[in-house]
Structures are given as structure tokens and as C-alpha cells.
Amino acid sequence: MLITADDLADLMVSQPRPRILDVRWRLDRPDGRPAYVDGHIPGAVYVDLDAELAEHGAPTDGRHPLPPVEKLQAAARRWGLHGDDTVVVYDDLGSMSAARAWWLLADAGVDIRILDGGLQAWTRSGRPLESGIVVPAAGSVVLTTGRLARASIDEAAALGTEGLLIDVRAAERYRGEVEPIDPRAGHIPGALNLPTTGNIAADGRFLSPDVIRARVVAAGIAPGAGVGVYCGSGVTAAHAFAALSIAGFAPRLYAGSWSQWSNHPDRPVAVGAAP
């Protein structure tokens, strides 16, 4: 699932070369293209998370529903992907947005890795960036989805009842003290709070599997258990999915996440520090 900057550099001088995708996105700066143009890993193609890695429908679907496979395949071909490619994704935010691309493409059968530590790991290794825009020749990849586990809104509710649902947002949003985006504050009843920012070290790399596993077990979840994950809109939940997979759990992604749940008035909301 992960690749180091050194291993990526080795792959880049081999044949066939890996396809590299730059997935810079964040809530306060959703358009990462200007930063990409200023400097990116040589050969990397920019991926627009909002436009290419999400569908846009009614508020009751959430802010970043998973795109249909036809839309994802068309985007992947624009990125120049072919069926036998090895793909590496990265961002500059601890893999929080790159993990969304990883999840979608892994679910669709692509051989894909996350650059552990992201762009910072590449630059810390002393390797150069290039500027401008990379426009690859069209790819021919054929995608079929369904390889990774997901949860519907009803299944997320059931996982909460069973104590097997993790809310990976910041603690203050989980407690319902603040809600900057969605219509209601709080969390899905029964969900535990384990912010996915706690799964990475200060340098943006994922913590070791043992450390992540201990963190989840300390929250009351048995080692290797099946567990659902959600966030605000389904983006950083993919990061938690990756971390839990690394640690040996069997995660399920509730992609609608809080943005979907909170737009359904019939769904109950819990507030405070307790599940």
C-alpha cells in the first residue's frame, strides 16, 4: 500500500515507469492546481479531487459521494493510465487527500501505492521538482469496482449500535462543539472518535502497524475486527481506511459520512465526548 521516496525514485528510472498522480486538496484550499504548477514530482499528473474523485448530487448524498465507475474510468484515462501500470499517489497533507485516490483506484483493480510522507518526503530526500503542467497521452485502463468494503448509511447506523464505527474527524466536531460546514453538529450514535491525524507522525508518514493497532485496541475495538469509518465528507475516511488496513483491521468505508448523515433529519445525532 505504501512506497518510500527512495523506492519511487528507483521505479522512475526503470521500465515501465510508474504513473504518478498529484492529489493536492484541502478544505480551505480545494484547488491544488496552482501549487502543482509551481512544483511537483517529475512526470506527475494533477488530479482534481472535487471534479474527478467525487460525484455531486443532492445534499442527502453527502458532499463527496463516490463517483460512478464510468466517470472514474474517463478520468483515469485522462491521467494516462493503462491496465498494467503501477500508480503512485501523493499530496502535501499527510496523504489525507491522496488516500481518496488510492481507495477509489484500489477498489477498481489498479496496482496503486501511496507515497508515504507525500511531497515533503520527496523533497526531504533531496530530489528535484518540476513546474508546469503534465498532459499525458490518453490511457486505455478498464475499471471495475467492488474490491474494497463499503457501508451504506443504514449499515453505518448498525455498526454504531455494535460499537464498531469510528468517526475520524477532529474531536471538537465529533463532540458537536463546532460544525463549520454541515447542517447539524455532533456524531453518529455509538461511533468512537479516533481522528485519523493520529495515525501519522510529525513528518506525515503513517505510524507503524503496531502503533496504529494499539491505538485502535485502546479505544475498545478487538484486534483485526471489522469496523466502519467515516469523516466529514468521505475524503479523510479513506485515509483512516488505509491506516486500519495497514494495522490488520477489516475496515468499511461509509463514504457519505457526516455530510450525508446530517442532511437526513430523521437520523439521530449524538453530542458530547461519549459515543
Side-chain angles (χ1 to χ4, degrees):
M1 290 174 52
L2 305 179
I3 188 170
T4 66
D6 288 343
D7 287 343
L8 174 58
D10 289 343
L11 279 182
M12 290 170 66
V13 296
S14 64
Q15 292 295 333
R17 291 187 57 177
R19 303 285 179 173
I20 306 173
L21 304 180
D22 184 308
V23 198
R24 275 181 271 187
W25 175 93
R26 51 196 288 174
L27 276 176
D28 61 343
R29 194 183 64 210
D31 185 3
R33 192 180 301 271
Y36 163 84
V37 171
D38 284 345
H40 54 263
I41 294 175
V45 175
Y46 178 69
V47 173
D48 186 327
L49 188 148
D50 279 329
E52 298 178 305
L53 302 181
E55 186 67 343
H56 297 282
T60 49
D61 296 327
R63 282 183 279 116
H64 290 109
L66 300 179
V69 66
E70 297 83 6
K71 177 177 179 176
L72 182 64
Q73 178 175 282
R77 291 180 175 182
R78 286 195 301 273
W79 307 330
L81 303 193
H82 297 279
D84 57 353
D85 284 334
T86 295
V87 179
V88 177
V89 292
Y90 74 89
D91 60 30
D92 60 356
L93 195 65
S95 302
M96 295 291 169
S97 53
R100 171 71 167 212
W102 168 82
W103 195 96
L104 284 168
L105 291 175
D107 181 64
V110 174
D111 177 15
I112 186 166
R113 307 285 185 274
I114 299 171
L115 176 57
D116 199 16
L119 186 65
Q120 294 90 334
W122 181 264
T123 56
R124 277 195 303 267
S125 73
R127 296 184 169 93
L129 302 178
E130 68 176 11
S131 59
I133 299 175
V134 175
V135 182
S140 60
V141 69
V142 176
L143 302 181
T144 58
T145 60
R147 291 166 180 81
L148 301 183
R150 60 189 76 189
S152 67
I153 189 170
D154 289 333
E155 289 166 338
L159 287 166
T161 300
E162 298 165 8
L164 292 172
L165 185 65
I166 298 177
D167 182 317
V168 306
R169 298 174 299 161
E172 60 270 21
R173 289 187 71 187
Y174 171 85
R175 294 192 298 264
E177 296 166 3
V178 297
E179 182 44 66
I181 303 172
D182 296 314
R184 293 190 289 167
H187 60 267
I188 296 173
L192 306 170
N193 184 219
L194 279 176
T196 197
T197 51
N199 293 318
I200 54 175
D203 63 1
R205 291 184 173 91
F206 282 89
L207 298 172
S208 73
D210 287 345
V211 172
I212 296 173
R213 188 180 308 113
R215 181 173 183 251
V216 179
V217 170
I221 295 175
V227 60
V229 290
Y230 77 92
C231 60
S233 69
V235 173
T236 55
H239 184 276
F241 186 107
L244 287 165
S245 298
I246 290 167
F249 291 88
R252 299 170 67 184
L253 179 73
Y254 171 35
S257 287
W258 186 249
S259 60
Q260 180 183 43
W261 185 279
S262 64
N263 271 291
H264 285 263
D266 58 317
R267 297 286 176 175
V269 170
V271 296

